[in-house]
Amino acid sequence: MTRTAFASVFPDADAPQSLQRGSLRLAEILGALSHALDLTEGQPKGHCKRACWIGVQIGTEIGLCAAGLSNVFFTTLLKDLGCSSNAARICELYLTDDIGFKQDFKTLDGSLSAALRFVFTKTGLEVGLAERIRAIVNILRNGGELVDELIETRCNRGADIAARLRFNTAVQTGIRHLDEHFDGSGRPQALHAQEIPLESRIALVAQVTDIFRTEGGPRAAVAEVKRRSGGWFDPLVVQALEKVSAQPGFWEVLDSPDIDSHLFSMTPAIQSVLVDEEYLDQIAQAFCDVVDAKSPFTAGHSERVTLYTDMIAEAVGMEPQKRRHLRRAALLHDIGKLAVSNQILDKPGRLSQQEWDAVKSHPLHSQAILQHVHAFADLAPIAGAHHERLDGKGYPFGLVGDEIPVEARMLTVADVFDALTADRPYRNAMPVAAALAIIRNDVGTAFDIRYVDALEQGLDALG
């Protein structure tokens, strides 16, 4: 965001221009939002998109019909919808950075010796020796049950969010069974061979192909997939990957910075539904659920902030259509927190400077994610500025006064109020009166008095 003075992000028309075109396809919106899932899994930007493209190539080679290819497209693109739901538990069990843990875990070769090395090299490196030993012993004693728990939480959560996004049963079950293996050694239900949905079998091969391509190049990727044929992977799917990956241009597409043009020109993307205003509301709500699932301390945070922000907007007379878009901004304002480890977000003690810098980066991530989603581009400056202060001492841009969008000023009041009145790792929730007193004390320096008054008016109306 440039330091330009303006009153509002939204223009005077009934809706932002990006929402007036009426030609926003579901595939493009979710493809752009998939970057948030890449961040949570510690994967390079575009991982979900590349895996999606690989999956559709495999499905085409197998001979799937249009409906089947569509199911593979969205199963693979959204395979990580539940990724945030086990982040806090990973930090609790392994005493480590959940994002780095997930990134490295995906490159294991599947052997017991590799798993043991991983546990010893990842667990509790920044804690005392006694605490580290207790954590390792717990993992070694209960490893199977713990991994089942982590995977089941992730996959079930992802399937539930896919249902809220209106996807059919095939996509939901495809996401739910992503971590099942062809030989029955997968989790959490140890499904075997054809018991595993084809969408899951294809998505897992596509995921591993892109991960090992990134780590070691095309040959390493194909070799790893072939090595697991009949074990993790369906041999039919592996054979299809071998054929398509030998075709001219296959690896070049994956290395292309313009993966979007290849992905969204495929039939499943072109034939995906046009998204209306109601569907956009549901998409914002679904990704809000992804964000709020990341930490037990932020569960419900974005929804409550949305309620308070809407109360403020109503009290100051904002027109209904703009209130609708502001609600979406509130739902998605913290989407950038998916890029921050729970080891930092849930830390009960004082943050180091490096940890504080990571926290302060989340509005930048929020803005970067949203500005690439055509339907939500108008929300990006609001999400990016929700930690700014009128006196210029906020972050990440140090905006001053009218440089801060009015919608962001409303959102800031709501965000701080909810943070004060909810439990946090470092303190218990404050009473409403105490929270309002703190906010009142910073009127004119941090907060705009109009929106503090409006919040109190809305709270009074609630009784």
Side-chain angles (χ1 to χ4, degrees), residues 189-244:
Q189 296 181 5
L191 299 183
H192 180 267
Q194 308 304 318
E195 295 174 341
I196 307 169
L198 180 58
E199 292 82 5
S200 304
R201 285 178 267 152
I202 292 175
L204 186 58
V205 168
Q207 169 179 281
V208 170
T209 299
D210 184 63
I211 289 170
F212 279 86
R213 179 202 66 87
T214 301
E215 288 288 316
R219 288 186 179 180
V222 173
E224 187 64 31
V225 170
K226 288 173 65 177
R227 190 181 68 80
R228 303 189 198 190
S229 181
W232 280 37
F233 304 139
D234 182 345
L236 175 67
V237 176
V238 174
Q239 291 169 15
L241 173 71
E242 288 186 78
K243 289 182 180 179
V244 297

Side-chain angles (χ1 to χ4, degrees), residues 392-416:
K393 296 181 180 179
Y395 64 85
F397 303 106
L399 301 180
V400 179
D402 287 342
E403 292 176 345
I404 306 170
V406 294
E407 296 89 355
R409 285 179 252 166
M410 296 180 192
L411 178 57
T412 298
V413 173
D415 184 53
V416 172

Side-chain angles (χ1 to χ4, degrees), residues 109-129:
D109 63 11
S111 67
L112 177 61
S113 60
L116 289 173
R117 284 197 303 273
F118 182 80
V119 169
F120 280 98
T121 57
K122 278 291 181 181
T123 305
L125 298 182
E126 298 181 12
V127 301
L129 179 61

Side-chain angles (χ1 to χ4, degrees), residues 97-161:
D97 163 27
D98 57 294
I99 295 175
F101 177 96
K102 291 181 177 184
Q103 181 182 29
D104 294 343
F105 186 79
K106 282 186 167 64
T107 61
L108 294 182
D109 63 11
S111 67
L112 177 61
S113 60
L116 289 173
R117 284 197 303 273
F118 182 80
V119 169
F120 280 98
T121 57
K122 278 291 181 181
T123 305
L125 298 182
E126 298 181 12
V127 301
L129 179 61
E131 189 176 1
R132 181 170 185 254
I133 290 174
R134 282 196 299 271
I136 290 174
V137 169
N138 178 49
I139 293 166
L140 295 180
R141 284 179 177 172
N142 306 292
E145 294 179 6
L146 295 176
V147 173
D148 282 350
E149 172 199 334
L150 293 172
I151 291 177
E152 186 170 15
T153 298
R154 177 188 189 279
C155 292
N156 286 342
R157 179 75 173 186
D160 291 345
I161 294 175

Side-chain angles (χ1 to χ4, degrees), residues 324-354:
R324 184 175 207 170
H325 300 307
L326 182 54
R327 286 195 295 270
R328 292 175 189 156
L331 286 169
L332 297 170
H333 75 283
D334 268 346
I335 195 169
K337 280 189 176 177
L338 294 176
V340 183
S341 170
N342 280 66
Q343 196 175 29
I344 298 172
L345 294 177
D346 297 342
K347 185 175 179 178
R350 185 180 182 86
L351 299 181
S352 69
Q353 185 59 51
Q354 184 178 8

